[in-house]
Amino acid sequence: MATEQNNLPDIISHCKEYGFIFPSSDIYDGLSAVYDYGQWGVELKKNIKDIWWKSMVYMHENIVGIDSAIFMHPTIWKASGHVDNFSDPMIDNLDSKKRYRVDHLIEGFCEQVADSNKQLADELLVKMDALLAADDFVGLKQLIVDNNMKCAVSGTCNWTDVRQFNLMFSTQLGSVAEDSDTIYLRPETAQGIFVNFLNVQKTGRMKIPFGIAQIGKAFRNEIVARGFIFRMREFEQMEMQFFVRPGTQKEWYEYWKEARMKWHLALGISASKYRFHDHVKLAHYADAACDIEFDFPMGFKEVEGIHSRTNFDLSQHQEYSKKKQMYFDNDIDEATGKPYGNYIPYVVETSIGLDRTILMVLSEAYTVEDLSTEDKKDSRVVLKFPPKLAPIKLAIFPLMKKDGLAELAREMMNEYREDFFCFYEEKDAIGKRYRRMDALGTPFCVTIDHQTKEDGTVTIRYRDSMDQERVKMSDVKAIVLNAIKS
RNA sequence: GCGGAAGUCGUAUAGUGGCUAUUACCUCAGCCUUCCAAGCUGAUGACGACAGUUCGAUUCUGUUCUUCCGCUCCA
């Protein structure tokens, strides 16, 4: 799918070499699909979070943020459907590589034999229910093998053992394991918003339509976690749940689809790198859903999902918690001339993977340039981040250490560091310092030289064009601030 | 989870059943220099882990961990 060759291995090496992303527990050989952000990666991450938060919360008077706990009441995951949907025993056929839910496989078999042998089918179903209730995986496999249940694709009976796949991580609450309740690490941040819906609505005096935003960690015990930071077991989401009047969800869904794509394009990434993918098969809670996909080194993949979740979640929580999740709408319905009254709001969700966004920005920024001339071979690796995302905004170099140039540069550093992240460097030749900054994606470098002492001008060097300009020292701050604002 | 490939300093690499494991870049210290990876001198730093075979294993075998590619999965 990707038009260029897959340069993901180069990006991974670069991220490690220059302090963006390290394998977790590196000195112990790493931990599968877990990564740590290094000194520059954490800045990039923070910048992306800030931009998202600003665009969602600060730019919308009717959206507020929260930060809910990772641990939540276990019943929440029953209400949300996560427990039922992801605790099913599965079995794989070794020939067709097809994976089945064990209950589906057995039920399918029973339907087939029911015509000729109703008694056997009923017996099997009773046995299956008993085995499922007892979590007897060995017994379940035996049942499948004994009755010669075949894979529909390969037609063979070559099965793996029955295994339980639950995508949620669990742990115990309380110090004594036997007495304690099993609780889950949240597999999505959305439920933390739903269960706080009324808290926020009442204390914030929010009127529908309104939204609640949250950035936070989520955990999924993925069977196959791969693709560098694309699919990790511990990851961070940026979600916003928008509560609307029933019947208006379609227009809000379209609104947020467009608004979110605009946000992506504002990162300076070309529209041709994005596409929408509309879901045909909808999840149990949705009445419309699409993904925003980005052209990663390994092809088009989902970065963000926009889902019209109906009133499924709030209704479920109302049922399980026995607490009303209703909103009283005072606005007048023109059709009846009366207020809309009490209802469970519908929800339109935007949910973007922060780590995926980082990978997106990195793979978009990563560039290898050939700068060879006839005399000399030369190349550079440059991360062409939009200035607002760059970990370091400005690097300040004295051309040389002596003659008071270093002191001047330090002064500038002290003045500017309050406004944005600056980096000071006096080691090595100036060209080398420029190239080092290219590799970190620093959009601007200024060099203090002897002329600075005379007329207060400095050389500003631009990352992307490698052009240099002589400007007044006092103008530099405005140049940088202007660039990181847009 | 299945199939394939691979693990050597921070990165990229060479090589070997046996002497101090190669090279480049990076990094660090010093000298010199100063507007695009300059030069010189010196330094740090690696055979993924655990077993087995062997007089001796980084090299062969097995297990394991990790990564990449393809499939599969993906509320």
Side-chain angles (χ1 to χ4, degrees):
Chain A
M1 206 44 114
T3 46
E4 300 149 33
Q5 84 279 16
N6 186 342
N7 62 353
L8 188 59
D10 298 331
I11 293 172
I12 295 170
S13 291
H14 188 85
C15 283
K16 183 168 185 202
E17 186 166 9
Y18 287 93
F20 283 89
I21 297 163
F22 309 121
S24 160
S25 319
D26 204 8
I27 62 171
Y28 289 98
D29 275 341
L31 186 62
S32 182
V34 187
Y35 290 89
D36 296 338
Y37 287 90
Q39 65 273 33
W40 307 128
V42 73
E43 294 294 334
L44 176 61
K45 188 177 187 181
K46 183 178 171 299
N47 291 339
I48 291 172
K49 278 197 235 185
D50 287 348
I51 283 177
W52 184 86
W53 192 263
K54 188 181 169 194
S55 78
M56 282 297 180
V57 178
Y58 298 172
M59 299 305 285
H60 293 91
E61 288 178 29
N62 59 343
I63 298 180
V64 293
I66 63 163
D67 182 25
S68 68
I70 288 170
F71 293 150
M72 292 195 269
H73 195 287
T75 308
I76 287 173
W77 305 112
K78 292 203 179 83
S80 70
H82 285 82
V83 171
D84 286 343
N85 283 334
F86 279 92
S87 59
D88 301 304
M90 311 285 275
I91 192 163
D92 291 5
N93 184 274
L94 288 165
D95 298 311
S96 65
K97 314 296 182 202
K98 190 102 178 90
R99 175 168 296 159
Y100 295 88
R101 270 174 64 168
V102 167
D103 55 338
H104 287 180
L105 181 70
I106 296 174
E107 280 164 6
F109 179 82
C110 289
E111 273 173 34
Q112 279 178 20
V113 299
D115 298 337
S116 55
N117 193 342
K118 183 89 170 61
Q119 196 188 347
L120 174 66
D122 290 345
E123 267 176 36
L124 285 175
L125 287 173
V126 171
K127 275 188 196 166
M128 178 187 81
D129 287 340
L131 290 166
L132 281 172
D135 283 338
D136 183 351
F137 299 153
V138 176
L140 282 166
K141 183 180 179 181
Q142 206 56 47
L143 192 70
I144 289 167
V145 173
D146 287 350
N147 290 279
N148 200 23
M149 297 184 197
K150 294 188 174 101
C151 167
V153 177
S154 65
T156 66
C157 202
N158 187 10
W159 298 105
T160 61
D161 288 338
V162 173
R163 283 164 298 195
Q164 180 100 358
F165 290 100
N166 191 335
L167 256 62
M168 287 193 290
F169 285 99
S170 59
T171 186
Q172 273 85 38
L173 189 68
S175 50
V176 184
E178 305 108 68
D179 303 336
S180 64
D181 281 323
T182 296
I183 57 167
Y184 298 103
L185 273 59
R186 63 182 180 197
E188 64 174 25
T189 53
Q191 299 303 326
I193 294 177
F194 294 133
V195 298
N196 277 301
F197 158 67
L198 278 181
N199 281 340
V200 173
Q201 189 272 317
K202 290 192 166 150
T203 59
R205 295 152 48 232
M206 309 302 288
K207 287 194 70 178
I208 274 188
F210 74 94
I212 304 176
Q214 172 163 230
I215 299 175
K217 286 269 172 95
F219 304 82
R220 293 183 196 181
N221 198 2
E222 299 280 358
I223 297 150
V224 181
R226 245 193 274 154
F228 193 37
I229 56 170
F230 183 81
R231 180 170 294 134
M232 297 194 289
R233 299 212 161 88
E234 173 181 344
F235 61 103
E236 207 155 345
Q237 293 184 307
M238 303 191 288
E239 292 199 323
M240 194 279 298
Q241 309 293 332
F242 201 69
F243 300 91
V244 305
R245 186 179 295 147
T248 62
Q249 69 269 25
K250 197 79 199 153
E251 59 198 79
W252 283 111
Y253 171 72
E254 294 300 332
Y255 171 87
W256 282 110
K257 227 175 130 171
E258 194 191 326
R260 291 307 304 151
M261 185 54 95
K262 269 190 195 160
W263 183 85
H264 281 272
L265 298 177
L267 294 176
I269 297 172
S270 93
S272 65
K273 292 280 208 148
Y274 288 107
R275 71 180 187 199
F276 280 112
H277 173 248
D278 291 312
H279 289 201
V280 183
K281 226 178 90 187
L282 293 168
H284 57 278
Y285 54 68
D287 72 356
C290 70
D291 298 334
I292 294 177
E293 295 187 333
F294 174 76
D295 191 5
F296 283 98
M298 61 282 195
F300 273 100
K301 303 264 189 190
E302 176 188 354
V303 197
E304 174 156 11
I306 296 142
H307 304 142
S308 177
R309 293 180 79 129
T310 69
N311 61 2
F312 175 83
D313 299 276
L314 289 177
S315 300
Q316 287 291 103
H317 287 308
Q318 174 165 296
E319 186 186 331
Y320 279 75
S321 69
K322 311 272 197 298
K323 308 279 192 311
K324 277 198 175 168
Q325 300 297 309
M326 309 272 262
Y327 172 82
F328 188 83
D329 193 334
N330 272 311
D331 286 2
I332 303 298
D333 181 354
E334 283 176 15
T336 62
K338 291 178 186 165
Y340 285 98
N342 255 329
Y343 56 77
I344 299 177
Y346 271 49
V347 173
V348 176
E349 162 190 84
T350 75
S351 172
I352 181 168
L354 175 54
D355 308 280
R356 288 180 181 189
T357 307
I358 290 167
L359 184 59
M360 174 178 90
V361 168
L362 275 169
S363 46
E364 181 70 10
Y366 182 84
T367 314
V368 181
E369 287 182 353
D370 186 5
L371 303 173
S372 296
T373 59
E374 284 179 14
D375 312 327
K376 196 173 119 196
K377 278 199 89 108
D378 194 10
S379 69
R380 68 166 183 161
V381 174
V382 50
L383 296 181
K384 297 190 170 179
F385 294 131
K388 62 186 167 188
L389 296 184
I392 303 167
K393 308 302 186 194
L394 176 70
I396 301 175
F397 306 143
L399 189 59
M400 57 181 74
K401 286 180 231 178
K402 51 191 182 189
D403 300 336
L405 298 184
E407 287 75 7
L408 257 179
R410 281 284 182 200
E411 268 176 41
M412 191 173 179
M413 193 60 196
N414 287 335
E415 187 194 334
Y416 282 31
R417 71 198 328 162
E418 286 200 30
D419 295 285
F420 40 77
F421 192 21
C422 302
F423 188 83
Y424 177 84
E425 173 81 275
E426 60 183 31
K427 242 188 83 64
D428 294 316
I430 195 72
K432 192 169 199 166
R433 284 180 262 170
Y434 287 154
R435 297 294 178 87
R436 257 202 292 258
M437 285 300 116
D438 288 342
L440 300 179
T442 306
F444 306 102
C445 300
V446 295
T447 301
I448 312 280
D449 60 12
H450 290 97
Q451 201 183 326
T452 309
K453 291 204 287 188
E454 289 161 25
D455 63 6
T457 61
V458 296
T459 304
I460 184 162
R461 182 265 193 187
Y462 301 100
R463 177 194 65 200
D464 296 349
S465 62
M466 297 173 75
D467 288 342
Q468 302 187 30
E469 254 186 301
R470 193 97 207 158
V471 298
K472 278 199 194 140
M473 201 171 180
S474 51
D475 290 344
V476 172
K477 188 180 278 185
I479 292 173
V480 177
L481 283 175
N482 194 40
I484 61 182
K485 217 177 115 187
S486 58

